[in-house]
Amino acid sequence: MLELAQQIEDARQFIASEFDTAPAAGLILGTGLGGLAEQIETAATIPYEEIPHFPTSTVKEHAGQLVCGTLSGKPIVAMEGRFHFYEGYTMKQVTFPVRVMRALGAETLVVTNAAGGMNPQYALADICILEDVINLMGDNPLRGVNDDNLGPRFPDMLEPFDQELVAKAIETAREHKLPFQKGVFVGVAGPNLETRAEYRMLRLLGSDVVGMSTVPEVIVAKHAGMKCVGFSIVTDMCLPDALEPVEIEKIVEVAGIGGERLAKLIPALVAQL
Ligand code: HPA
């Protein structure tokens, strides 16, 4: 067995010893999604540092634990806190938990993040249902030797986000009268926010929201044959001609408002898996 596959298996075995149900979905809960975490009927909470080969989280807004249990009656595993490329982790480390979710049996990845809104139609705390991604992070989690048992050398990205799940997310948002946008997410390395010239460029490239996560996780999920659905919460407006200084506290506060909306939408979506 190749080294990565062995590490995935070690982590899988460890988690399965605490929660031995195949999850219907893996969830990555970004900033502001604490309310959603509370809705999980928890069977096991595993701090990342206990899981073999998991990196440990350094961002204080993130708890850094794997919550295993049921959401809307479906078995799930949820990352409370994720690993960011800007923290210094490699792309392989950032995406290792997605590999483990897949190994546990999850066929769907639900990924969330806090993002900057570049589409002038958007407002603070809007939910953006992701339709596509652009990888501008300058690296790729699939770089290096490919393990054909984990996925193909050249995975296609026709549908980074599963069309059916996106349609269901839209329908569910409408049913629950939750305001939402649809858009393209561009992933950047960070950790600095972008310059005005960069926002102008990113907008010209066809993106609506910008953030420092999600793209590597989606690439690996697709490589592993998972279906993805993704949501951004617009935590700050990134309009090059009306740019204001951002305060992390404000971002976290706005993420909480959007997070309350997602805490209604995601459980209703998971119920349909
Ligand atoms: N850029 C700008 N604003 C943001 C980001 C980002 O990457 N993430 C959250 N708000």
Side-chain angles (χ1 to χ4, degrees):
M1 204 186 267
L2 291 177
E3 193 190 352
L4 175 60
Q6 183 61 57
Q7 291 179 345
I8 296 165
E9 178 54 18
D10 292 346
R12 186 201 66 76
Q13 275 185 20
F14 179 83
I15 296 163
S17 72
E18 308 229 346
F19 182 68
D20 72 350
T21 317
L27 276 60
I28 302 178
L29 306 180
T31 311
L33 273 291
L36 202 149
E38 278 165 25
Q39 292 181 52
I40 299 170
E41 252 184 69
T42 307
T45 301
I46 313 173
Y48 292 154
E49 56 264 28
E50 290 181 12
I51 305 173
H53 314 295
F54 253 55
T56 42
S57 184
T58 63
V59 183
K60 71 174 186 306
E61 285 84 20
H62 299 274
Q65 54 189 17
L66 193 70
V67 182
C68 311
T70 56
L71 180 66
S72 309
K74 308 277 176 175
I76 56 103
V77 289
M79 291 181 71
E80 221 183 326
R82 60 145 62 81
F83 304 106
H84 296 91
F85 189 54
Y86 64 74
E87 294 176 87
Y89 300 116
T90 65
M91 285 273 172
K92 288 238 162 35
Q93 289 177 306
V94 166
T95 55
F96 183 72
V98 177
R99 295 282 184 203
V100 176
M101 287 169 166
R102 182 74 189 99
L104 286 164
E107 287 179 358
T108 298
L109 179 72
V110 181
V111 59
T112 66
N113 59 61
M118 297 180 293
N119 184 324
Q121 312 272 21
Y122 293 6
L124 288 183
D126 269 359
I127 291 170
C128 181
I129 299 174
L130 303 183
E131 294 187 303
D132 211 335
V133 293
I134 299 176
N135 180 11
L136 281 190
M137 295 184 78
D139 199 349
N140 192 302
L142 306 181
R143 189 165 172 265
V145 176
N146 187 63
D147 182 344
D148 295 336
N149 292 317
L150 296 179
R153 171 76 288 188
F154 301 110
D156 78 55
M157 290 298 269
L158 289 180
E159 243 182 86
F161 299 106
D162 182 73
Q163 299 232 6
E164 242 175 79
L165 282 175
V166 168
K168 273 187 189 162
I170 291 171
E171 211 176 289
T172 308
R174 289 208 175 107
E175 274 168 21
H176 287 75
K177 300 203 167 28
L178 298 166
F180 68 93
Q181 308 285 353
K182 292 178 283 177
V184 174
F185 178 92
V186 60
V188 295
N192 61 289
L193 302 187
E194 291 65 40
T195 64
R196 285 176 219 275
E198 286 166 341
Y199 287 130
R200 217 170 268 127
M201 171 190 77
L202 295 173
R203 187 76 189 124
L204 273 173
L205 292 180
S207 54
D208 299 286
V209 280
V210 54
M212 302 170 195
S213 66
T214 300
V215 170
E217 292 104 316
V218 168
I219 290 173
V220 162
K222 291 313 295 177
H223 182 253
M226 297 173 85
K227 292 177 182 176
C228 299
V229 63
F231 304 93
S232 288
I233 297 169
V234 176
T235 53
D236 50 294
M237 288 308 295
C238 304
L239 306 174
D241 298 306
L243 202 57
E244 287 172 13
V246 297
E247 296 153 39
I248 290 303
E249 296 72 28
K250 180 88 195 301
I251 287 191
V252 173
E253 185 194 322
V254 177
I257 302 169
E260 282 171 29
R261 294 177 181 159
L262 274 187
K264 293 187 184 123
L265 178 49
I266 291 177
L269 185 65
V270 166
Q272 301 169 58
L273 291 179

